[in-house]
Amino acid sequence: MNLAAATNESLANTSNVLIYSSMAVYTLAFFAHIAEWVLGSRSKVGRTAAALSAPGAAAPAAAAVKKAGAGGTAVLDRPEVITRSAAGTRDVPDGPGAAGGTFKGDLWGRIAVSLTVVAFLVEAGGVATRALSVQRAPWANMYEFSITFSTVAVGSYLVLLALKKNVRWIGLPLVTTVLLDLGIAVTTLYTDSDQLVPALHSYWLWIHVSTAIICGAVFYLGAVGTVLYLFRDSYENKLASGGTPGKFASSVMERLPSASSLDKFSYRINAAVFPLWTFTIIAGAIWAGDAWGRYWGWDPKEVWSFITWVAYAAYLHARATAGWKGRKAAYLALVAFACWLFNYYGVNIFVSGLHSYADVGLGALQAVGF
């Protein structure tokens, strides 16, 4: 084995170690997020929700979260109590967040975010060393796409936090999904470092696939917001109709942003990245023209990319149409993201086409029954 080959093998092993290490840190972040929700004074939030939903109950003033310090008492935050502005309206302020408006919950939330940052940096290092081991873009197969996808998804979440957006409620579902994604990647989708097939030797690999990964990561954040919107909307409807949600439902739902805020978040996220998805499809067509001599050939990957584009276009159009706002549009958004997921997993694993070079490799195919 020559020196270059030995160096590449060492880098590949380092990448594997970093990916497994990031999974360990993500696991710690997962438990910290659980602690944030559990220790964030669930009973306090539940009692507040029950008091506010009682007939004729007056909305109490939001209590400040305080911590005793050497110089006295420092006010850390003033969470807004959930109230309805009037019967039958949907103008509901956002909840106090996953921490439940308490110092203990907030502390665990900050620990969870800090661990997520560390895990993100370690995972990004794993992606970078994977790229160095093969001296190309680290997304030429499903394993590489998966580890890069989860890295970008977490990075997008951290960027929103850095921009002071109130999105820490995404932390728990995000870390959970990342752990599942990495678990599948290292057990089923893993492929040894290898060189590209001739069709992939193009700068379009960096352009087309990188934008696809970014779009998928952001679409995922929008899908999380959409799912939580549907739960929160049902909760608000039940309160508006005089129903009494269970203690667990009250504890969780009252901490989330209002249904209106979640709906706006999902719409803005999907609308912001939709033009980039359009560019992704155009870039893929240009690359196909260079590699195969035609811009469009009804390959399964091309077809499902277009179906995904149509589904998101229908969702954005529905949001602009009065009769399709709210839950109907949310269902369309989830259908669109399901199309994206099938385009990634289903087409690559179960459908044969010109994009078969992006498959999981012989060992993984045997593992899933092929």
Side-chain angles (χ1 to χ4, degrees), residues 94 181 257 310 324 334 344:
D94 293 341
D181 175 71
V310 171
W324 276 84
L334 293 182
Y344 172 47

mmCIF file of all heavy atoms in Angstrom, residues 94 181 257 310 324 334 344:
data_model
loop_
_atom_site.group_PDB
_atom_site.id
_atom_site.type_symbol
_atom_site.label_atom_id
_atom_site.label_comp_id
_atom_site.label_asym_id
_atom_site.label_seq_id
_atom_site.Cartn_x
_atom_site.Cartn_y
_atom_site.Cartn_z
ATOM 1 N N ASP A 94 -47.680 33.081 21.732
ATOM 2 C CA ASP A 94 -46.857 31.885 21.801
ATOM 3 C C ASP A 94 -46.652 31.453 23.245
ATOM 4 O O ASP A 94 -46.701 32.261 24.175
ATOM 5 C CB ASP A 94 -45.491 32.137 21.149
ATOM 6 C CG ASP A 94 -45.601 32.359 19.656
ATOM 7 O OD1 ASP A 94 -46.640 31.974 19.084
ATOM 8 O OD2 ASP A 94 -44.662 32.902 19.065
ATOM 9 N N ASP A 181 -31.378 9.003 11.562
ATOM 10 C CA ASP A 181 -30.735 9.120 10.258
ATOM 11 C C ASP A 181 -29.312 8.557 10.294
ATOM 12 O O ASP A 181 -28.911 7.772 9.422
ATOM 13 C CB ASP A 181 -30.711 10.585 9.825
ATOM 14 C CG ASP A 181 -29.942 10.804 8.537
ATOM 15 O OD1 ASP A 181 -30.445 10.395 7.475
ATOM 16 O OD2 ASP A 181 -28.840 11.383 8.590
ATOM 17 N N PRO A 257 -45.214 27.277 20.310
ATOM 18 C CA PRO A 257 -45.804 28.483 19.719
ATOM 19 C C PRO A 257 -47.264 28.229 19.352
ATOM 20 O O PRO A 257 -47.693 27.086 19.211
ATOM 21 C CB PRO A 257 -44.933 28.714 18.470
ATOM 22 C CG PRO A 257 -43.645 28.031 18.763
ATOM 23 C CD PRO A 257 -44.000 26.834 19.604
ATOM 24 N N VAL A 310 -43.874 19.988 -7.934
ATOM 25 C CA VAL A 310 -45.294 20.270 -8.142
ATOM 26 C C VAL A 310 -46.035 20.276 -6.799
ATOM 27 O O VAL A 310 -46.901 21.123 -6.554
ATOM 28 C CB VAL A 310 -45.911 19.235 -9.103
ATOM 29 C CG1 VAL A 310 -47.433 19.379 -9.146
ATOM 30 C CG2 VAL A 310 -45.328 19.384 -10.499
ATOM 31 N N TRP A 324 -58.033 27.192 1.072
ATOM 32 C CA TRP A 324 -57.110 26.095 1.346
ATOM 33 C C TRP A 324 -56.073 26.448 2.399
ATOM 34 O O TRP A 324 -55.069 25.748 2.542
ATOM 35 C CB TRP A 324 -56.409 25.679 0.057
ATOM 36 C CG TRP A 324 -57.235 24.718 -0.729
ATOM 37 C CD1 TRP A 324 -58.236 25.020 -1.590
ATOM 38 C CD2 TRP A 324 -57.154 23.285 -0.710
ATOM 39 N NE1 TRP A 324 -58.791 23.887 -2.112
ATOM 40 C CE2 TRP A 324 -58.138 22.798 -1.588
ATOM 41 C CE3 TRP A 324 -56.357 22.386 -0.022
ATOM 42 C CZ2 TRP A 324 -58.322 21.439 -1.810
ATOM 43 C CZ3 TRP A 324 -56.543 21.035 -0.236
ATOM 44 C CH2 TRP A 324 -57.519 20.568 -1.124
ATOM 45 N N LEU A 334 -47.135 18.203 4.019
ATOM 46 C CA LEU A 334 -46.622 16.905 4.439
ATOM 47 C C LEU A 334 -46.555 15.928 3.275
ATOM 48 O O LEU A 334 -45.625 15.110 3.189
ATOM 49 C CB LEU A 334 -47.504 16.335 5.558
ATOM 50 C CG LEU A 334 -47.472 17.103 6.883
ATOM 51 C CD1 LEU A 334 -48.356 16.418 7.921
ATOM 52 C CD2 LEU A 334 -46.049 17.240 7.404
ATOM 53 N N TYR A 344 -35.691 10.318 -2.212
ATOM 54 C CA TYR A 344 -34.373 9.983 -1.668
ATOM 55 C C TYR A 344 -34.248 8.494 -1.373
ATOM 56 O O TYR A 344 -33.396 7.804 -1.933
ATOM 57 C CB TYR A 344 -34.108 10.801 -0.409
ATOM 58 C CG TYR A 344 -32.854 10.389 0.332
ATOM 59 C CD1 TYR A 344 -31.660 10.185 -0.343
ATOM 60 C CD2 TYR A 344 -32.881 10.194 1.703
ATOM 61 C CE1 TYR A 344 -30.513 9.801 0.334
ATOM 62 C CE2 TYR A 344 -31.738 9.822 2.387
ATOM 63 C CZ TYR A 344 -30.557 9.621 1.699
ATOM 64 O OH TYR A 344 -29.433 9.240 2.374
#
